[in-house]
Amino acid sequence: MSGHIAKLSHQVFFWLKNPDSAEDLEQLLIGIRSLSAIETVRGMHVGVPAATEQRPVIDNSYSASELLFFDSIEDQNAYQTHPLHEQFIADYSHLWSKVMVFDSISRATENEFGL
């Protein structure tokens, strides 16, 4: 870890139209990974629901997720209008039935992370 803390996280959850299609899921994951080429993206985690213990607070009904990190709201705004992001939507939106986004800005200091 470099000691740099990205200030904004952008968490996106996707529900596939065909949730049982391994091919659709793989296509979507390839598309999501392509977004890491956008210059303002500081970090990325791409995943699928974990097989964790079932609890009332867990929603694992989604098919795939991405967690992106940005240095600022301006960087995240630039990502939203970047040609690669717009191409991702054009190429892959036919695969999903629902998308939910959760953006958050860090209130932590570097000292809180022990850096």
Side-chain angles (χ1 to χ4, degrees):
M1 203 175 205
S2 68
H4 175 79
I5 300 171
K7 298 296 181 188
L8 189 133
S9 67
H10 176 70
Q11 179 85 58
V12 185
F13 295 90
F14 300 88
W15 283 259
L16 289 173
K17 287 180 183 175
N18 301 309
D20 295 327
S21 172
E23 182 180 316
D24 286 1
L25 176 60
E26 189 56 34
Q27 285 183 4
L28 179 59
L29 294 175
I30 288 168
I32 292 170
R33 288 183 192 107
S34 74
L35 298 171
S36 68
I38 298 174
E39 300 81 14
T40 59
V41 173
R42 296 294 170 245
M44 172 184 266
H45 175 273
V46 179
V48 296
T52 54
E53 180 182 339
Q54 291 287 53
R55 299 185 323 224
V57 296
I58 294 176
D59 179 355
N60 63 358
S61 65
Y62 64 95
S63 303
S65 69
E66 70 176 19
L67 175 58
L68 303 178
F69 297 97
F70 300 92
D71 288 335
S72 66
I73 291 173
E74 294 78 17
D75 284 354
Q76 197 267 353
N77 289 340
Y79 160 86
Q80 290 297 330
T81 58
H82 193 283
L84 289 176
H85 183 250
E86 291 178 348
Q87 191 63 53
F88 165 77
I89 294 168
D91 291 346
Y92 297 96
S93 63
H94 72 280
L95 295 173
W96 63 70
S97 61
K98 176 181 171 181
V99 175
M100 292 200 63
V101 177
F102 298 89
D103 292 331
S104 64
I105 194 87
S106 176
R107 299 289 304 265
T109 64
E110 289 188 12
N111 289 337
E112 289 178 276
F113 288 102
L115 302 174

